[in-house]
Amino acid sequence: MSQSTTPALPVTFRPGRTRVILLTLSAAMFVVVTAVAMMLERLGPGERASFVLTAALLSGVLVLLSRPKVVADEDGVTVVNITRSRRLAWAEILKVNLRPGDPWVFLDLSDGTSLPALGIQPGIAKESAIRDARALRALADSHGTSAETR
């Protein structure tokens, strides 16, 4: 891949459409469940509160699902998945993989493990995910272990 396709740093990759859908559903679901709880006349204050609490918990899950991103800067990459974040130096990333049928990018690491990077996922926006995976691959190639051996 040529140097001209390498994006300027810092750069953040995230599934934008998926994020918008999840956050919109989260807000809409919270509003609807809360409104239903307030309109049901037979519910007492405790029952209404339990409806609102349940709506808040479900909304929180959707917000967590919208969290994934991959942030690349001069020093390395931060992979933010649903509940965990991991900081990697460029030299730790050996390969960026997005094979047909993969739900998201996988990073092959120098310690022999593979790290899923949910911030680049082809679900709704396949072309965008492929473009982002190629950009991250180009960055890893130009900043990683292969760049150090030049």
Side-chain angles (χ1 to χ4, degrees):
M1 189 165 269
S2 70
Q3 193 70 11
S4 63
T5 59
T6 305
L9 294 176
V11 63
T12 300
F13 303 104
R14 74 174 357 137
R17 289 183 200 160
T18 302
R19 181 175 166 82
V20 168
I21 290 169
L22 288 169
L23 292 175
T24 301
L25 285 174
S26 171
M29 187 219 32
F30 181 80
V31 169
V32 168
V33 172
T34 301
V36 167
M38 298 307 154
M39 289 190 296
L40 293 174
E41 295 173 8
R42 291 185 160 176
L43 296 181
E47 293 166 317
R48 285 191 175 138
S50 70
F51 265 74
V52 173
L53 179 62
T54 300
L57 288 172
L58 293 173
S59 183
V61 168
L62 292 175
V63 168
L64 277 176
L65 290 174
S66 73
R67 186 173 180 252
K69 65 182 176 180
V70 177
V71 181
D73 59 34
E74 290 295 332
D75 299 323
V77 174
T78 302
V79 177
V80 179
N81 287 333
I82 295 171
T83 59
R84 302 185 83 188
S85 295
R86 183 164 175 195
R87 179 74 181 161
L88 301 165
W90 284 114
E92 292 179 81
I93 302 171
L94 300 178
K95 190 172 181 185
V96 177
N97 292 310
L98 181 59
R99 296 174 295 262
D102 280 351
W104 40 72
V105 162
F106 289 91
L107 304 177
D108 290 344
L109 305 179
S110 59
D111 65 1
T113 63
S114 181
L115 176 68
L118 280 65
I120 303 174
Q121 49 184 269
I124 295 174
K126 186 176 182 177
E127 299 80 24
S128 177
I130 292 169
R131 185 176 54 250
D132 290 350
R134 286 180 178 153
L136 184 58
R137 185 178 299 130
L139 287 167
D141 289 346
S142 65
H143 290 84
T145 53
S146 60
E148 293 172 2
T149 60
R150 289 185 199 146

